[in-house]
Amino acid sequence: MTYVLHFKNGRIKREGRGLSFFYFSPNSSIVAIPMGSNDLPFIFNESTNDYQTVNIQGQISYKISDPKTLADVLDFTVTDSGVYKKNDIEKLNQRIINEAQTATSSFIHEIKLKDAIRSAKAIEDRILAGLTTSPAIGMLGIEILGANILGIQATPEMARALETETREKLQQEADQAIYERRNFAVEQERKIKETELNTEIAVEEKQKQIAEKKMESEVQKADNDRRLREMRLSADIAVENQRKELIEQKTANDKKEADTQGYILETTLTPYKSVDWKILTAINNNTDPKFNISLAFRELAENANKIGNLNISPELLDTLLSEKKEGR
């Protein structure tokens, strides 16, 4: 994982990864550049737009992609024992951190504390963009693999203040939730009561309609009964009128019949008015002895003032009475 450059008399004699060779140290120098990926941790203290300090902690992953370019910029020469003559690996890390901090500072200075605490992803993107496009990083011959923000924290005092503010806000939200829940319950209760009232009103309206319908039915029935009574009365009156006309007609007919019979009788009896009843009796030619005896008694009664004494035998009376009894 080490890229080796063998310089002899100021020129590169050998180069490559994992080389093994002998060299003459008085006129040679060895440059060893680690090719593996490195994780570079960092901690920044930056000021936000509202003048609050935040602590940004993370790490940057990178690897050396062009060791010859890096060897031209920094000194990675090692001694005969394999120890770096200079600690330029620290310079490399510091330059990377400086570029990352520059990209981070320009972003943090534009936002407020609360936004900064919640901007880990945005800071990662800013660091990657800053390192990728930085000319200084490009001159080092390295490749940025990624950047991760592990934490963003405010100062302890501000953290407690934010916690208090957040706690109060959460408490307010809880109170608001309780209020809204109670308000919702009251609203639901009101809706239930309105529904019950609307139901009662609808029931009353239906009962009113039913009562009106019943009243209309009763009025219609009464009107129908009245019409039926009127029809019956009209029929009775018509019948009575017809009876009256019949009686009048019958009376007139009977009167005419009586007048006719009287006229007939009068016409029939007129010739007999001037005739003596005795003649009529004789004309009748009744041969009944009792009839003749009764006529005799009638004559006697009519001439009673001329008769001095009249003797009627008991036998005759007894005969008349006995015959009368038998006739019964």
Side-chain angles (χ1 to χ4, degrees), residues 287-305:
T287 59
D288 187 6
K290 294 185 288 182
F291 181 73
N292 292 328
I293 294 173
S294 64
L295 289 177
F297 275 105
R298 180 181 178 85
E299 288 291 336
L300 291 175
E302 290 180 353
N303 297 311
N305 56 349

Side-chain angles (χ1 to χ4, degrees), residues 93-328:
N93 292 338
Q94 188 61 44
R95 290 182 182 183
I96 295 173
I97 291 175
N98 291 340
E99 291 293 332
Q101 187 171 7
T102 301
T104 303
S105 299
S106 61
F107 176 71
I108 294 298
H109 293 168
E110 297 175 355
I111 60 177
K112 295 183 180 298
L113 174 63
K114 293 181 180 179
D115 297 330
I117 295 175
R118 296 190 293 265
S119 300
K121 182 63 178 175
I123 294 174
E124 290 178 359
D125 296 338
R126 284 299 185 96
I127 291 175
L128 281 176
L131 293 177
T132 304
T133 59
S134 173
I137 298 299
M139 293 174 59
L140 295 175
I142 64 175
E143 178 183 357
I144 304 300
L145 300 178
N148 300 102
I149 300 301
L150 304 179
I152 303 174
Q153 297 178 349
T155 59
E157 295 80 6
M158 186 55 62
R160 286 193 295 271
L162 290 176
E163 289 176 0
T164 303
E165 181 183 358
T166 304
R167 190 183 303 111
E168 291 296 330
K169 186 175 181 180
L170 291 175
Q171 186 65 39
Q172 291 178 1
E173 291 178 355
D175 295 339
Q176 181 67 21
I178 295 173
Y179 168 76
E180 291 178 355
R181 185 168 62 253
R182 291 179 178 176
N183 190 28
F184 178 76
V186 172
E187 182 68 18
Q188 293 300 315
E189 184 68 21
R190 182 185 64 78
K191 289 182 179 180
I192 292 173
K193 290 183 178 180
E194 287 183 355
T195 303
E196 292 176 351
L197 290 175
N198 292 331
T199 303
E200 292 179 359
I201 292 173
V203 170
E204 292 293 333
E205 186 67 23
K206 290 295 183 182
Q207 291 179 352
K208 181 180 178 182
Q209 293 177 1
I210 293 172
E212 291 177 353
K213 289 294 183 181
K214 287 183 178 179
M215 185 178 296
E216 290 178 0
S217 300
E218 291 177 356
V219 171
Q220 186 66 32
K221 183 179 179 182
D223 186 61
N224 292 335
D225 293 340
R226 178 183 61 79
R227 292 182 180 179
L228 183 60
R229 289 195 299 270
E230 289 178 354
M231 292 173 64
R232 289 177 179 175
L233 290 175
S234 299
D236 293 339
I237 291 172
V239 171
E240 291 297 328
N241 289 332
Q242 291 178 358
R243 286 183 60 189
K244 179 180 179 182
E245 292 177 359
L246 178 62
I247 292 172
E248 289 178 355
Q249 186 64 36
K250 185 176 180 182
T251 302
N253 292 337
D254 291 342
K255 183 177 180 181
K256 288 181 180 180
E257 184 178 1
D259 292 341
T260 302
Q261 290 179 357
Y263 176 76
I264 294 171
L265 182 60
E266 183 180 359
T267 304
T268 304
L269 295 178
T270 297
Y272 296 100
K273 286 184 179 181
S274 60
V275 180
D276 190 9
W277 66 275
K278 295 177 181 180
I279 296 173
L280 294 175
T281 302
I283 294 172
N284 190 30
N285 195 17
N286 191 349
T287 59
D288 187 6
K290 294 185 288 182
F291 181 73
N292 292 328
I293 294 173
S294 64
L295 289 177
F297 275 105
R298 180 181 178 85
E299 288 291 336
L300 291 175
E302 290 180 353
N303 297 311
N305 56 349
K306 297 180 180 181
I307 300 173
N309 292 315
L310 177 63
N311 293 319
I312 301 173
S313 63
E315 292 82 3
L316 177 60
L317 292 174
D318 184 57
T319 301
L320 293 172
L321 292 174
S322 61
E323 292 177 356
K324 185 177 181 181
K325 291 178 180 179
E326 291 176 357
R328 291 178 183 176

Side-chain angles (χ1 to χ4, degrees), residues 34 38 40-41 62 70 74-76 84 86-98 140:
N38 298 312
L40 178 61
Y62 72 94
L70 182 61
L74 297 176
D75 186 5
F76 284 88
Y84 287 107
K86 295 182 179 180
N87 194 12
D88 280 4
I89 190 69
E90 293 295 333
K91 291 182 179 181
L92 174 63
N93 292 338
Q94 188 61 44
R95 290 182 182 183
I96 295 173
I97 291 175
N98 291 340
L140 295 175

